[in-house]
Every structure is written in C-alpha cells, then in structure tokens.
Amino acid sequence: MASTTPTTPDVETTTPKAPVTLTPTAVDKVREIMGQQNPVPAGLRIGVVGGGCSGFSYSMSFENAQGVMDKVFNFDGLKVFVDATSVMYLNGCVVDYVETLEAAGFKFENPNVKSTCGCGSSFSV
C-alpha cells in the first residue's frame, strides 16, 4: 500500500509554499487517470467554486495549459494548477485518494473549513 504522507512540491512560481498538498497516493491516481486521456493533459487543476448546500465545493479537472492567474506547483513531476482565488480557500489543504468498501475517491482535508453539509460535497469557511 502506498504511503499517505504528503509530498512536498517543487514550486514553479514565486509563491513560497503550495496552498494544497497531494499525498503520494493521490499523485499516483491522478497520473493513472491522466495516462488514460488522449491527448494526455498538461496537469491537474484544483479549485474551489461557489455552490453546494454549504456555499463552496471543490473542483478537480485536467488542464492543457496554465491560466493567466494560475499558480503552478509540481508534485513529483505532476503539475497542479490553482487559480488565485482558490489559493486562500485551499491554504493547508491535503488531498488524498482513498478506497473503502463503500466508495473510492479523492478526499480533501481542509483546516479552513468551519462546517460541511450532510452529503459531504460542500463546505463553508
């Protein structure tokens, strides 16, 4: 089983520290999914969007290029794009990939969250 200790990213911008951290398990799963895409994306976008029953929800998608307002972080060769607005909501957040008997998916552990909804898909800060 892969370690769930977060990896320290190589920062490709002037930002001193990445707002979000991916565990090695999450990085491996993203790489696996990216490898199945045609063409292979340039990286992963992680963000926070308005909506959901508690006010905000997380978003993950593949990107082919960096946006103008993006910060770019490198986790063992995986580029992660975070838009400037999402940075403040993701500060200290750890993303892991978990598999249980009931489900499998990416799990966000965010120290800034004050409350979550019953479905677990949205949060408030």
Side-chain angles (χ1 to χ4, degrees):
M1 183 168 172
S3 168
T4 58
T5 304
T7 58
T8 303
D10 299 322
V11 179
E12 293 186 359
T13 64
T14 57
T15 303
K17 183 179 183 297
V20 64
T21 302
L22 276 72
T23 66
T25 305
V27 171
D28 290 345
K29 190 62 176 182
V30 170
R31 279 194 188 124
E32 176 186 327
I33 297 168
M34 282 177 65
Q36 298 169 359
Q37 307 298 308
N38 188 13
V40 175
L44 174 71
R45 172 172 303 285
I46 296 178
V48 173
V49 294
C53 40
S54 290
F56 296 101
S57 59
Y58 299 108
S59 67
M60 294 177 73
S61 61
F62 293 123
E63 288 290 335
N64 291 320
Q66 175 181 355
V68 175
M69 299 299 290
D70 287 345
K71 304 291 184 196
V72 182
F73 306 97
N74 187 323
F75 292 87
D76 292 332
L78 172 66
K79 285 186 180 181
V80 175
F81 306 111
V82 181
D83 65 89
T85 303
S86 294
V87 166
M88 67 181 160
Y89 295 110
L90 292 171
N91 193 26
C93 186
V94 176
V95 180
D96 193 10
Y97 182 79
V98 295
E99 292 183 17
T100 66
L101 292 175
E102 294 91 22
F106 292 94
K107 179 180 178 185
F108 287 75
E109 292 287 336
N110 191 336
N112 305 303
V113 170
K114 300 287 187 259
S115 66
T116 60
C117 65
C119 67
S121 295
S122 66
F123 64 95
S124 65
V125 291

